[in-house]
Protein backbone atom coordinates (compact mmCIF):
# COMPACT_ATOMS: atom_id res chain seq x y z
CA UNK A 1 0.00 0.00 0.00
CA UNK A 2 1.36 3.41 -1.00
CA UNK A 3 2.05 5.83 1.79
CA UNK A 4 0.15 9.12 1.87
CA UNK A 5 2.61 12.02 1.83
CA UNK A 6 1.51 15.53 2.78
CA UNK A 7 2.94 19.02 3.08
CA UNK A 8 2.05 21.61 5.70
CA UNK A 9 2.77 25.23 4.80
CA UNK A 10 3.29 27.30 7.95
CA UNK A 11 2.57 31.03 7.89
CA UNK A 12 0.92 32.87 10.79
CA UNK A 13 0.48 29.68 12.87
CA UNK A 14 3.94 28.97 14.28
CA UNK A 15 2.85 26.61 17.04
CA UNK A 16 1.84 23.06 17.93
CA UNK A 17 -0.86 24.09 20.40
CA UNK A 18 -4.41 24.60 19.09
CA UNK A 19 -3.40 24.32 15.45
CA UNK A 20 -6.42 22.70 13.76
CA UNK A 21 -4.92 22.51 10.27
CA UNK A 22 -1.71 20.90 11.53
CA UNK A 23 -3.69 18.45 13.65
CA UNK A 24 -5.72 17.48 10.57
CA UNK A 25 -2.57 16.97 8.52
CA UNK A 26 -1.00 14.83 11.24
CA UNK A 27 -4.09 12.62 11.35
CA UNK A 28 -4.44 12.05 7.60
CA UNK A 29 -0.98 11.32 6.16
CA UNK A 30 1.80 8.85 6.79
CA UNK A 31 4.63 11.30 6.13
CA UNK A 32 4.54 15.08 6.40
CA UNK A 33 6.85 17.85 5.21
CA UNK A 34 6.65 20.97 7.40
CA UNK A 35 7.62 24.03 5.38
CA UNK A 36 8.13 27.73 6.06
CA UNK A 37 8.99 30.13 3.23
CA UNK A 38 11.02 33.23 4.04
CA UNK A 39 10.33 34.62 0.61
CA UNK A 40 12.13 37.93 -0.11
CA UNK A 41 10.33 38.11 -3.46
CA UNK A 42 6.84 37.93 -1.96
CA UNK A 43 4.53 40.01 -4.18
CA UNK A 44 4.08 43.28 -2.30
CA UNK A 45 0.70 44.80 -1.67
CA UNK A 46 0.28 48.51 -2.27
CA UNK A 47 3.42 50.17 -0.86
CA UNK A 48 4.33 47.15 1.27
CA UNK A 49 7.98 46.17 1.64
CA UNK A 50 8.07 42.66 3.12
CA UNK A 51 11.77 42.10 2.38
CA UNK A 52 12.84 45.21 4.30
CA UNK A 53 11.89 44.22 7.82
CA UNK A 54 13.39 45.88 10.87
CA UNK A 55 16.02 43.97 12.84
CA UNK A 56 13.55 43.70 15.74
CA UNK A 57 10.84 42.14 13.61
CA UNK A 58 13.31 39.80 11.91
CA UNK A 59 14.74 38.66 15.22
CA UNK A 60 11.32 37.95 16.68
CA UNK A 61 10.35 35.99 13.57
CA UNK A 62 13.59 34.01 13.43
CA UNK A 63 13.38 33.13 17.10
CA UNK A 64 9.79 31.99 16.60
CA UNK A 65 10.79 29.79 13.65
CA UNK A 66 13.67 28.27 15.63
CA UNK A 67 11.35 27.51 18.52
CA UNK A 68 8.91 25.75 16.20
CA UNK A 69 11.76 23.79 14.61
CA UNK A 70 12.93 22.61 18.05
CA UNK A 71 9.39 21.64 19.09
CA UNK A 72 8.99 19.59 15.91
CA UNK A 73 12.37 17.90 16.50
CA UNK A 74 11.07 16.61 19.84
CA UNK A 75 8.38 14.80 17.84
CA UNK A 76 10.97 13.38 15.40
CA UNK A 77 9.95 15.97 12.86
CA UNK A 78 11.62 19.15 11.62
CA UNK A 79 10.94 22.42 9.87
CA UNK A 80 12.14 23.00 6.33
CA UNK A 81 12.94 26.72 6.03
CA UNK A 82 13.66 28.22 2.63
CA UNK A 83 14.08 31.64 1.06
CA UNK A 84 12.44 30.38 -2.12
CA UNK A 85 8.90 31.34 -3.01
CA UNK A 86 6.24 28.77 -2.18
CA UNK A 87 5.33 28.86 -5.87
CA UNK A 88 8.87 27.69 -6.67
CA UNK A 89 9.69 25.24 -3.87
CA UNK A 90 6.36 23.43 -3.52
CA UNK A 91 6.32 22.21 -7.16
CA UNK A 92 9.82 20.78 -6.60
CA UNK A 93 8.68 18.97 -3.45
CA UNK A 94 5.55 17.66 -5.18
CA UNK A 95 7.70 16.11 -7.90
CA UNK A 96 10.36 14.74 -5.56
CA UNK A 97 8.03 13.21 -2.97
CA UNK A 98 4.77 12.51 -4.79
CA UNK A 99 2.81 14.76 -2.42
CA UNK A 100 -0.92 14.16 -2.48
CA UNK A 101 -2.16 16.49 0.27
CA UNK A 102 -1.27 20.11 1.08
CA UNK A 103 -2.46 21.82 4.26
CA UNK A 104 -2.33 25.34 5.68
CA UNK A 105 -4.09 27.61 8.11
CA UNK A 106 -6.37 30.28 6.71
CA UNK A 107 -4.64 33.61 6.20
CA UNK A 108 -6.38 36.99 5.98
CA UNK A 109 -3.66 38.38 3.70
CA UNK A 110 -4.86 38.96 0.15
CA UNK A 111 -1.61 37.91 -1.54
CA UNK A 112 -1.20 34.90 0.72
CA UNK A 113 -4.65 33.74 -0.38
CA UNK A 114 -3.78 34.38 -4.03
CA UNK A 115 -0.70 32.18 -3.68
CA UNK A 116 -2.81 29.37 -2.24
CA UNK A 117 -5.38 29.67 -5.02
CA UNK A 118 -2.69 29.59 -7.70
CA UNK A 119 -1.22 26.41 -6.25
CA UNK A 120 -4.63 24.75 -5.98
CA UNK A 121 -5.45 25.67 -9.57
CA UNK A 122 -2.08 24.42 -10.84
CA UNK A 123 -2.44 21.02 -9.11
CA UNK A 124 -6.09 19.91 -9.32
CA UNK A 125 -5.10 16.30 -8.57
CA UNK A 126 -3.77 17.28 -5.11
CA UNK A 127 -6.08 17.74 -2.14
CA UNK A 128 -5.73 21.23 -0.65
CA UNK A 129 -7.15 21.88 2.82
CA UNK A 130 -7.17 25.02 5.00
CA UNK A 131 -8.64 25.51 8.46
CA UNK A 132 -9.00 28.61 10.66
CA UNK A 133 -6.33 28.97 13.34
CA UNK A 134 -5.87 32.76 13.63
CA UNK A 135 -9.39 33.68 14.74
CA UNK A 136 -11.81 33.04 17.59
CA UNK A 137 -14.49 31.85 15.18
CA UNK A 138 -14.57 29.97 11.92
CA UNK A 139 -16.44 31.44 8.99
CA UNK A 140 -19.26 28.93 9.50
CA UNK A 141 -19.59 30.11 13.13
CA UNK A 142 -20.42 33.68 12.07
CA UNK A 143 -24.13 34.57 12.23
CA UNK A 144 -23.93 36.23 8.81
CA UNK A 145 -22.43 35.59 5.39
CA UNK A 146 -18.98 37.08 4.93
CA UNK A 147 -20.38 39.19 2.09
CA UNK A 148 -22.70 40.73 4.69
CA UNK A 149 -19.94 41.66 7.17
CA UNK A 150 -21.23 44.51 9.37
CA UNK A 151 -19.86 47.90 8.35
CA UNK A 152 -18.82 48.83 11.90
CA UNK A 153 -17.26 47.07 14.86
CA UNK A 154 -20.23 47.89 17.11
CA UNK A 155 -22.62 46.04 14.82
CA UNK A 156 -20.19 43.13 14.53
CA UNK A 157 -19.70 42.91 18.30
CA UNK A 158 -23.44 42.77 19.02
CA UNK A 159 -23.81 39.84 16.65
CA UNK A 160 -20.81 37.74 17.72
CA UNK A 161 -20.50 38.51 21.43
CA UNK A 162 -23.18 35.95 22.43
CA UNK A 163 -21.48 33.17 20.43
CA UNK A 164 -19.69 30.39 22.25
CA UNK A 165 -15.99 29.95 21.47
CA UNK A 166 -14.64 26.47 20.85
CA UNK A 167 -12.14 25.18 23.37
CA UNK A 168 -8.55 25.14 22.11
CA UNK A 169 -7.08 21.87 20.91
CA UNK A 170 -4.26 20.39 23.02
CA UNK A 171 -0.67 20.57 21.74
CA UNK A 172 0.25 17.84 19.29
CA UNK A 173 2.14 14.96 20.86
CA UNK A 174 2.58 12.74 17.79
CA UNK A 175 3.55 13.73 14.25
CA UNK A 176 4.14 11.69 11.10
CA UNK A 177 7.82 11.58 10.13
CA UNK A 178 9.22 13.82 7.41
CA UNK A 179 10.64 12.42 4.17
CA UNK A 180 13.17 15.29 4.01
CA UNK A 181 16.20 16.06 6.16
CA UNK A 182 15.46 18.70 8.83
CA UNK A 183 16.91 22.13 8.08
CA UNK A 184 19.37 23.66 10.60
CA UNK A 185 17.83 26.51 12.63
CA UNK A 186 18.21 30.14 11.65
CA UNK A 187 20.61 32.63 13.28
CA UNK A 188 19.31 33.57 16.72
CA UNK A 189 20.49 37.15 16.83
CA UNK A 190 20.14 40.18 14.60
CA UNK A 191 21.80 43.58 14.67
CA UNK A 192 19.61 45.15 17.35
CA UNK A 193 20.80 47.92 19.65
CA UNK A 194 19.47 46.40 22.87
CA UNK A 195 17.96 43.22 24.29
CA UNK A 196 14.60 42.52 22.63
CA UNK A 197 11.43 43.41 24.50
CA UNK A 198 9.88 40.12 23.41
CA UNK A 199 11.41 36.69 22.88
CA UNK A 200 9.79 34.93 19.94
CA UNK A 201 8.32 31.45 19.89
CA UNK A 202 5.49 29.37 21.26
CA UNK A 203 7.28 28.53 24.50
CA UNK A 204 7.86 32.18 25.39
CA UNK A 205 4.33 33.08 24.33
CA UNK A 206 2.82 30.47 26.63
CA UNK A 207 5.10 31.55 29.50
CA UNK A 208 4.02 35.17 29.04
CA UNK A 209 0.36 34.17 28.91
CA UNK A 210 0.67 32.14 32.09
CA UNK A 211 2.62 34.88 33.88
CA UNK A 212 0.05 37.51 32.98
CA UNK A 213 -2.89 35.58 34.36
CA UNK A 214 -0.91 34.40 37.40
CA UNK A 215 -0.72 38.09 38.32
CA UNK A 216 -3.59 40.48 39.10
CA UNK A 217 -2.91 42.67 36.06
CA UNK A 218 -6.06 41.53 34.24
CA UNK A 219 -8.20 42.95 37.06
CA UNK A 220 -6.89 46.47 36.34
CA UNK A 221 -6.45 46.34 32.59
CA UNK A 222 -9.08 48.93 31.69
CA UNK A 223 -7.45 51.52 33.96
CA UNK A 224 -3.90 50.97 32.66
CA UNK A 225 -4.39 50.05 28.98
CA UNK A 226 -3.65 53.56 27.64
CA UNK A 227 -0.12 53.63 29.03
CA UNK A 228 2.69 54.66 26.71
CA UNK A 229 5.70 52.81 28.11
CA UNK A 230 6.48 49.98 30.47
CA UNK A 231 5.84 46.27 30.85
CA UNK A 232 2.54 45.86 32.65
CA UNK A 233 0.09 48.49 31.39
CA UNK A 234 -1.25 46.16 28.66
CA UNK A 235 -1.40 42.42 28.04
CA UNK A 236 1.42 42.36 25.44
CA UNK A 237 -0.06 39.25 23.83
CA UNK A 238 0.04 40.83 20.37
CA UNK A 239 3.58 39.81 19.23
CA UNK A 240 2.87 36.10 19.70
CA UNK A 241 -0.70 36.38 18.39
CA UNK A 242 0.55 38.14 15.25
CA UNK A 243 2.71 35.30 13.93
CA UNK A 244 0.59 32.60 15.50
CA UNK A 245 3.02 31.49 18.18
CA UNK A 246 0.06 31.94 20.52
CA UNK A 247 -3.52 30.87 19.88
CA UNK A 248 -6.20 33.51 20.43
CA UNK A 249 -8.54 30.75 21.63
CA UNK A 250 -5.91 29.79 24.22
CA UNK A 251 -5.86 33.40 25.41
CA UNK A 252 -9.65 33.38 25.79
CA UNK A 253 -9.50 30.04 27.61
CA UNK A 254 -7.03 31.49 30.15
CA UNK A 255 -9.10 34.66 30.47
CA UNK A 256 -12.25 32.67 31.25
CA UNK A 257 -10.38 30.61 33.83
CA UNK A 258 -9.15 33.81 35.47
CA UNK A 259 -12.72 35.13 35.57
CA UNK A 260 -13.95 31.88 37.13
CA UNK A 261 -11.16 31.50 39.70
CA UNK A 262 -10.07 35.06 40.51
CA UNK A 263 -12.31 37.89 39.33
CA UNK A 264 -14.57 38.97 36.49
CA UNK A 265 -14.98 42.74 36.10
CA UNK A 266 -14.96 45.53 33.52
CA UNK A 267 -11.23 45.09 32.99
CA UNK A 268 -11.39 41.38 32.21
CA UNK A 269 -14.31 42.06 29.89
CA UNK A 270 -12.26 44.76 28.16
CA UNK A 271 -9.56 42.23 27.27
CA UNK A 272 -12.26 40.20 25.52
CA UNK A 273 -13.67 43.38 23.95
CA UNK A 274 -10.32 44.22 22.38
CA UNK A 275 -9.80 40.66 21.17
CA UNK A 276 -13.14 41.08 19.39
CA UNK A 277 -11.70 44.20 17.71
CA UNK A 278 -8.84 42.02 16.49
CA UNK A 279 -11.38 39.45 15.32
CA UNK A 280 -13.35 42.04 13.40
CA UNK A 281 -10.29 43.15 11.48
CA UNK A 282 -9.43 39.55 10.51
CA UNK A 283 -12.83 39.12 8.85
CA UNK A 284 -12.64 42.68 7.52
CA UNK A 285 -9.45 41.70 5.66
CA UNK A 286 -11.02 38.46 4.41
CA UNK A 287 -14.01 40.40 3.13
CA UNK A 288 -12.35 43.41 1.52
CA UNK A 289 -9.26 41.68 0.12
CA UNK A 290 -7.06 43.97 -1.95
CA UNK A 291 -9.12 47.01 -0.91
CA UNK A 292 -7.28 46.77 2.41
CA UNK A 293 -4.36 48.45 0.62
CA UNK A 294 -6.33 50.91 -1.52
CA UNK A 295 -5.90 54.66 -0.97
CA UNK A 296 -9.66 55.09 -0.70
CA UNK A 297 -10.02 51.97 1.43
CA UNK A 298 -13.62 50.80 1.47
CA UNK A 299 -14.98 54.27 0.73
CA UNK A 300 -15.87 55.88 -2.60
CA UNK A 301 -13.13 58.53 -2.56
CA UNK A 302 -9.62 58.83 -1.15
CA UNK A 303 -8.41 61.43 1.38
CA UNK A 304 -6.99 64.72 0.19
CA UNK A 305 -3.43 63.76 1.11
CA UNK A 306 -0.18 63.30 -0.78
CA UNK A 307 3.40 62.20 -0.20
CA UNK A 308 6.04 64.63 1.03
CA UNK A 309 9.38 62.77 1.36
CA UNK A 310 10.84 65.21 3.89
CA UNK A 311 7.79 65.07 6.16
CA UNK A 312 7.70 61.29 5.90
CA UNK A 313 11.33 60.95 6.93
CA UNK A 314 10.89 63.34 9.85
CA UNK A 315 7.90 61.33 11.05
CA UNK A 316 9.82 58.05 10.74
CA UNK A 317 12.77 59.39 12.74
CA UNK A 318 10.73 61.24 15.38
CA UNK A 319 11.72 64.71 14.28
CA UNK A 320 8.37 66.46 13.79
CA UNK A 321 7.03 69.53 15.65
CA UNK A 322 5.01 67.18 17.91
CA UNK A 323 6.95 65.84 20.92
CA UNK A 324 4.48 63.07 21.82
CA UNK A 325 4.68 61.74 18.26
CA UNK A 326 8.47 61.99 18.23
CA UNK A 327 8.73 60.00 21.46
CA UNK A 328 6.49 57.24 20.11
CA UNK A 329 8.42 57.00 16.84
CA UNK A 330 11.76 56.85 18.64
CA UNK A 331 10.39 54.16 20.92
CA UNK A 332 9.32 52.18 17.85
CA UNK A 333 12.72 52.44 16.20
CA UNK A 334 14.54 51.41 19.37
CA UNK A 335 12.26 48.53 20.38
CA UNK A 336 10.05 47.45 17.48
CA UNK A 337 6.99 48.17 19.60
CA UNK A 338 4.58 51.01 20.35
CA UNK A 339 1.53 51.23 22.59
CA UNK A 340 -1.97 51.19 21.12
CA UNK A 341 -2.49 54.80 22.25
CA UNK A 342 0.78 55.77 20.60
CA UNK A 343 -0.21 54.12 17.34
CA UNK A 344 -3.40 56.15 17.22
CA UNK A 345 -1.54 59.39 17.88
CA UNK A 346 1.20 58.87 15.30
CA UNK A 347 -1.32 57.77 12.65
CA UNK A 348 -3.56 60.77 13.32
CA UNK A 349 -0.54 63.07 13.06
CA UNK A 350 0.61 61.37 9.85
CA UNK A 351 -2.71 61.88 8.08
CA UNK A 352 -4.12 65.07 9.58
CA UNK A 353 -1.15 67.19 10.68
CA UNK A 354 1.36 66.13 8.01
CA UNK A 355 -1.13 65.54 5.19
CA UNK A 356 0.53 62.29 4.13
CA UNK A 357 -0.95 59.32 2.26
CA UNK A 358 -1.90 56.89 5.05
CA UNK A 359 -0.60 53.86 3.14
CA UNK A 360 3.03 54.97 3.56
CA UNK A 361 2.52 55.06 7.32
CA UNK A 362 0.94 51.61 7.32
CA UNK A 363 3.81 50.25 5.19
CA UNK A 364 6.41 51.69 7.59
CA UNK A 365 4.65 50.06 10.53
CA UNK A 366 4.66 46.78 8.62
CA UNK A 367 8.44 46.98 8.43
CA UNK A 368 8.98 47.94 12.06
CA UNK A 369 6.43 46.29 14.35
CA UNK A 370 7.29 42.98 16.01
CA UNK A 371 3.53 42.43 16.37
CA UNK A 372 2.68 43.27 12.76
CA UNK A 373 -0.59 41.68 11.66
CA UNK A 374 -1.79 42.45 8.15
CA UNK A 375 -5.46 42.78 9.11
CA UNK A 376 -5.06 44.80 12.31
CA UNK A 377 -2.37 47.09 10.92
CA UNK A 378 -3.99 48.06 7.63
CA UNK A 379 -7.51 48.01 9.05
CA UNK A 380 -6.59 50.36 11.89
CA UNK A 381 -4.79 52.73 9.53
CA UNK A 382 -7.87 52.88 7.32
CA UNK A 383 -9.94 53.62 10.42
CA UNK A 384 -7.73 56.57 11.43
CA UNK A 385 -7.56 57.88 7.86
CA UNK A 386 -11.34 57.94 7.52
CA UNK A 387 -11.46 55.34 4.75
CA UNK A 388 -12.29 52.30 6.87
CA UNK A 389 -14.87 50.99 9.30
CA UNK A 390 -15.23 54.14 11.43
CA UNK A 391 -18.79 55.47 11.00
CA UNK A 392 -17.64 58.89 12.27
CA UNK A 393 -15.18 59.40 9.43
CA UNK A 394 -11.86 61.11 10.13
CA UNK A 395 -10.53 60.33 13.61
CA UNK A 396 -8.31 63.32 14.42
CA UNK A 397 -6.61 63.60 17.81
CA UNK A 398 -5.69 66.87 19.52
CA UNK A 399 -2.03 66.06 20.19
CA UNK A 400 -1.59 68.74 22.86
CA UNK A 401 -4.64 67.49 24.75
CA UNK A 402 -3.52 63.86 24.39
CA UNK A 403 -0.10 64.80 25.79
CA UNK A 404 -1.70 66.49 28.77
CA UNK A 405 -3.90 63.45 29.39
CA UNK A 406 -1.39 60.63 28.94
CA UNK A 407 1.98 62.26 29.60
CA UNK A 408 1.20 65.34 31.76
CA UNK A 409 4.70 65.54 33.25
CA UNK A 410 6.29 64.69 29.91
CA UNK A 411 8.19 61.80 31.46
CA UNK A 412 7.67 59.63 28.39
CA UNK A 413 8.68 62.47 26.07
CA UNK A 414 11.83 63.20 28.06
CA UNK A 415 12.79 59.54 28.36
CA UNK A 416 12.90 59.24 24.57
CA UNK A 417 14.73 62.55 24.14
CA UNK A 418 11.79 64.17 22.37
CA UNK A 419 11.61 67.31 24.54
CA UNK A 420 14.07 69.26 22.39
CA UNK A 421 12.87 71.85 19.88
CA UNK A 422 12.33 70.22 16.49
CA UNK A 423 13.19 71.97 13.22
CA UNK A 424 10.39 73.29 11.01
CA UNK A 425 8.24 70.66 9.36
CA UNK A 426 9.41 71.66 5.87
CA UNK A 427 12.81 73.06 4.94
CA UNK A 428 11.30 75.00 2.01
CA UNK A 429 8.03 76.86 1.62
CA UNK A 430 5.51 76.54 -1.20
CA UNK A 431 7.74 78.60 -3.51
CA UNK A 432 10.81 76.45 -2.66
CA UNK A 433 12.42 79.25 -0.61
CA UNK A 434 14.43 77.90 2.34
CA UNK A 435 12.63 78.28 5.66
CA UNK A 436 14.93 79.94 8.18
CA UNK A 437 14.85 79.05 11.85
CA UNK A 438 13.75 81.96 14.07
Amino acid sequence: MNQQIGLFLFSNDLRLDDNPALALAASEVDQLICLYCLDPKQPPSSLRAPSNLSAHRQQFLFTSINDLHNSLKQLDQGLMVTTESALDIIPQLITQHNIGHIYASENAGYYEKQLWQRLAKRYPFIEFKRLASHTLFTQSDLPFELTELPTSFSKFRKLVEPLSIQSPLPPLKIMPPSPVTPIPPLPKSMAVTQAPLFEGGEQQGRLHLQGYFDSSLASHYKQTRNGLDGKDYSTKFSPWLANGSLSVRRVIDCLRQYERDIEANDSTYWIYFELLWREYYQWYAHHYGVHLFSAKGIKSSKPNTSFYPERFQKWCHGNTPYPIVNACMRQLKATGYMSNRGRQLVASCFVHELGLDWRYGAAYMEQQLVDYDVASNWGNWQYLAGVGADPRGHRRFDLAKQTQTYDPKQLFIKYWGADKNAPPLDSVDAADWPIMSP
Side-chain angles (χ1 to χ4, degrees), residues 167-241:
S167 298
L169 300 175
L172 286 171
K173 300 295 185 184
I174 301 175
M175 289 279 288
S178 175
V180 301
T181 303
I183 304 299
L186 295 162
K188 292 185 178 180
S189 62
M190 301 295 295
V192 295
T193 56
Q194 60 186 56
L197 282 180
F198 308 100
E199 192 76 21
E202 179 178 8
Q203 306 308 315
Q204 290 298 318
R206 290 293 297 272
L207 284 173
H208 176 75
L209 179 67
Q210 179 180 344
Y212 185 82
F213 285 113
D214 281 348
S215 73
S216 61
L217 293 171
S219 295
H220 311 287
Y221 173 76
K222 194 174 182 182
Q223 290 74 45
T224 63
R225 65 190 176 90
N226 280 310
L228 295 171
D229 212 354
K231 179 182 177 183
D232 296 335
Y233 66 85
S234 65
T235 66
K236 303 294 193 301
F237 298 147
S238 61
W240 295 281
L241 286 174

Side-chain angles (χ1 to χ4, degrees), residues 44-49 293 357-360 362-364 366-367 378:
S45 57
S46 179
L47 307 178
R48 290 170 70 193
F293 315 109
D357 183 332
W358 67 270
R359 295 171 298 165
Y360 289 90
Y364 182 75
E366 176 173 355
Q367 294 174 340
W378 290 82

Side-chain angles (χ1 to χ4, degrees), residues 327-369:
C328 289
M329 296 306 295
R330 294 177 188 191
Q331 176 192 43
L332 174 64
K333 191 172 184 179
T335 67
Y337 186 79
M338 186 191 298
S339 69
N340 181 62
R341 175 60 52 177
R343 296 180 202 202
Q344 294 180 67
L345 299 184
V346 302
S348 176
C349 175
F350 192 90
V351 174
H352 302 299
E353 313 305 331
L354 307 185
L356 292 165
D357 183 332
W358 67 270
R359 295 171 298 165
Y360 289 90
Y364 182 75
M365 290 297 192
E366 176 173 355
Q367 294 174 340
Q368 299 295 322
L369 288 170

